[in-house]
Amino acid sequence: MSEMRRKLVVGNWKMHGSLTENEALLGALKAGLASAHGFQGAVCVPFPYLAQAQALLTGSRISWGAQDVSERAKGAYTGEVCGAMLKDFGCHYVIVGHSERRTLHGEDNALVARKMRAAQAQGLLPIVCVGETLAQRSSGATEAVVCEQLDAVIAPAGVQSLAQAVVAYEPVWAIGTGKTATPDEAQSVHAVIRARIAVIDANVAAGLQILYGGSVKGSNAMALFKMPDIDGALVGGAALDATEFLAICQAAGASH
Ligand code: PEP
């Protein structure tokens, strides 16, 4: 089943970068990936750098996107950025429900579901993040937490909505900590996610790209990508280092 899914590597720059740093990083990625194949690559940059990403990446094999989107379409919502604005700058992807948004900005499952639909209404592909904390894992609640997060986005719009989305499994304890889930640990949660969806719609489940995120780097990417239900990576820290990000992309291209 995994043959029908291409590997996808997405960089999440978080609140990092500058015009000068981005130019160097994107230039190195474009040069390094010019003749690469067998995977999809993307970077999700801070809002102010979307125009720069669009200018530098148009015509390259790297897509770009944002890290958040408003649940609203337009209006008096100071500080918010809507999906139509992201489309204006050529975004393909938008991350929704990243654990940092859930924890630091109080985003709950219902809001994540509304953001997912707002993104899809504009033809953006939401990358919906799910994942358990260390305390939840230690208490044996990993599957329950991840399934609850998943059910919350399926319930309002139906499982078909996942046909136009990407899911990222990001155990919170592995994000930015240097601790990676082992390939087997990650695979077992990815398999649970796919099985949960397959019960409702086997085709949607078979086609869904499920990314792993949490301290992915060049040295551990290949072992993760060899797992049957791991379809790529959402990469934080290592996405800021051209050599590391290129190594992850190369592993994606070589892993099938
Ligand atoms: C992330 O922010 O989505 C992430 C996975 O970060 P890191 O790769 O730094 O753990």
Side-chain angles (χ1 to χ4, degrees), residues 12 14 98 100 129 170 174-178 213-216 234-238:
N12 171 17
K14 311 194 187 194
H98 190 279
E100 286 151 17
C129 300
E170 299 208 307
I175 297 180
T177 58
S215 299
V216 176
L234 182 55
V235 183

Side-chain angles (χ1 to χ4, degrees), residues 92-163:
H92 191 67
Y93 297 102
V94 61
I95 299 170
V96 298
H98 190 279
S99 65
E100 286 151 17
R101 304 258 0 137
R102 291 179 188 261
T103 312
L104 304 173
H105 300 271
E107 295 194 6
D108 62 13
N109 285 339
L111 177 58
V112 173
R114 293 196 297 276
K115 288 189 171 195
M116 171 176 154
R117 289 206 306 288
Q120 290 175 325
Q122 294 299 329
L124 295 157
L125 270 183
I127 300 172
V128 183
C129 300
V130 297
E132 81 288 0
T133 63
L134 187 56
Q136 289 165 333
R137 173 161 282 261
S138 307
S139 67
T142 298
E143 285 188 22
V145 167
V146 168
C147 288
E148 190 188 341
Q149 291 170 334
L150 200 60
D151 291 351
V153 297
I154 295 173
V159 80
Q160 269 299 329
S161 61
L162 287 179

Side-chain angles (χ1 to χ4, degrees), residues 149-228:
Q149 291 170 334
L150 200 60
D151 291 351
V153 297
I154 295 173
V159 80
Q160 269 299 329
S161 61
L162 287 179
Q164 298 303 324
V166 173
V167 168
Y169 168 57
E170 299 208 307
V172 179
W173 49 271
I175 297 180
T177 58
K179 289 186 196 135
T180 323
T182 65
D184 286 329
E185 281 172 335
Q187 164 59 27
S188 80
V189 181
H190 282 230
V192 164
I193 292 171
R194 203 177 304 284
R196 183 87 171 181
I197 298 162
V199 170
I200 319 172
D201 190 318
N203 286 333
V204 171
L208 180 69
Q209 287 173 311
I210 308 176
L211 312 183
Y212 169 76
S215 299
V216 176
K217 39 190 189 284
S219 57
N220 59 21
M222 181 60 101
L224 289 159
F225 294 161
K226 288 275 184 203
M227 292 288 144

